[in-house]
Amino acid sequence: MARIKLAQSCKTLFLTGAILLGLVATGHRAHAEDIRTTVVAGGCFWCVESDFESVPGVIEVVSGFAGGNVANPTYRQVVRGGTGHLEVVEITYDADQVAYGDLLHLFLRSVDVTDDGGQFCDRGHSYSTAIFVETDDERAAAEAAIAAAEAELGQDVVTPIRDAAPFYAAEEYHQDYYRSDELVLTRFGPRRKSDAYGLYRQGCGRDARITQLWGEDAPFVGMH
């Protein structure tokens, strides 16, 4: 009888443990389903990374390349041309805190959506804008965001919606450039990357053009 009771107790403990593990695993899966990624191209990826890492609900932003025909391209290859890639960022975000449509709203108002030849002082295909989508729902959200931007501007938005493509992270040198204390040599002499970034952003006219285009709806102007 004692053995039977012991066996039953062990079985009960086993089942209880299994249920608890199952609940933990389910909780982890549910949470993981709310952590999503999206890829957008908005010209200089340093700037887009800087902008979106300030958004509540965004977990990480990685600078990189997408949309081309060369695997694992280098920065030099992309800016030289011929790979087909755009400078992009991959945004990882918590969909419980920030909606996909809200990210697109912010993105479209952080770039010049009327310019299909590059962005600001950076010219050429690799600096053009795009929204990369993976699902029909994302495509519908992107179409709605673009329609809203066109209605607000009273102009056509030339930023295209593109099918999702492999994302390749840029070299470590480019990650978090806007806040790095590492010294680099610039035309102004040695500067911290963060200082060099500020000089570049101002000199390129990014915020000035976005303010001209979007006015008070420009979400990131004045934050840098």
Side-chain angles (χ1 to χ4, degrees):
M1 181 66 71
R3 289 183 178 177
I4 292 174
K5 288 183 178 179
L6 179 60
Q8 289 176 337
S9 297
C10 290
K11 183 177 181 180
T12 301
L13 287 172
F14 176 80
L15 291 174
T16 301
I19 290 170
L20 289 173
L21 286 173
L23 290 173
V24 170
T26 301
H28 284 173
R29 286 197 298 272
H31 182 66
E33 288 172 357
D34 294 327
I35 306 302
R36 307 176 188 178
T37 61
T38 189
V39 173
V40 293
C44 169
F45 48 31
W46 297 342
C47 297
V48 188
E49 180 182 356
S50 169
D51 288 345
F52 278 88
E53 285 195 341
S54 69
V55 176
V58 168
I59 298 167
E60 183 183 30
V61 184
V62 179
S63 292
F65 315 104
N69 50 32
V70 174
N72 297 306
T74 66
Y75 176 77
R76 288 186 180 277
Q77 285 178 306
V78 172
V79 297
R80 189 167 56 238
T83 70
H85 287 287
L86 307 182
E87 284 199 18
V88 302
V89 297
E90 181 184 63
I91 303 170
T92 301
Y93 65 100
D94 185 342
D96 282 337
Q97 295 187 46
V98 58
Y100 178 66
D102 291 338
L103 290 177
L104 295 184
H105 178 95
L106 294 171
F107 169 68
L108 291 171
R109 286 156 185 77
S110 69
V111 295
D112 186 347
V113 294
T114 68
D115 185 354
D116 61 1
Q119 286 291 285
F120 317 106
C121 67
D122 295 317
R123 311 312 302 163
H125 173 75
S126 65
Y127 292 107
S128 57
T129 62
I131 299 169
F132 291 84
V133 299
E134 292 190 12
T135 66
D136 290 342
D137 286 345
E138 286 187 350
R139 183 174 295 277
E143 289 171 349
I146 287 173
E150 287 181 332
E152 182 175 340
L153 281 180
Q155 300 180 55
D156 289 339
V157 167
V158 300
T159 299
I161 301 170
R162 297 182 55 171
D163 291 335
F167 169 80
Y168 302 100
E171 296 88 337
E172 188 61 30
Y173 173 86
H174 295 286
Q175 307 302 330
D176 291 320
Y177 193 98
Y178 73 98
R179 61 180 178 181
S180 173
D181 288 333
E182 181 182 347
L183 288 176
V184 292
L185 185 61
T186 73
R187 62 191 179 94
F188 305 103
R191 291 287 190 278
R192 291 185 178 88
K193 283 183 177 179
S194 56
D195 294 333
Y197 166 76
L199 291 168
Y200 157 76
R201 183 164 182 140
Q202 182 178 8
C204 200
R206 188 180 187 101
D207 290 341
R209 173 55 182 156
I210 291 171
T211 300
Q212 181 184 45
L213 191 63
W214 291 107
E216 294 182 356
D217 278 349
F220 304 114
V221 170
M223 295 179 60
H224 309 280

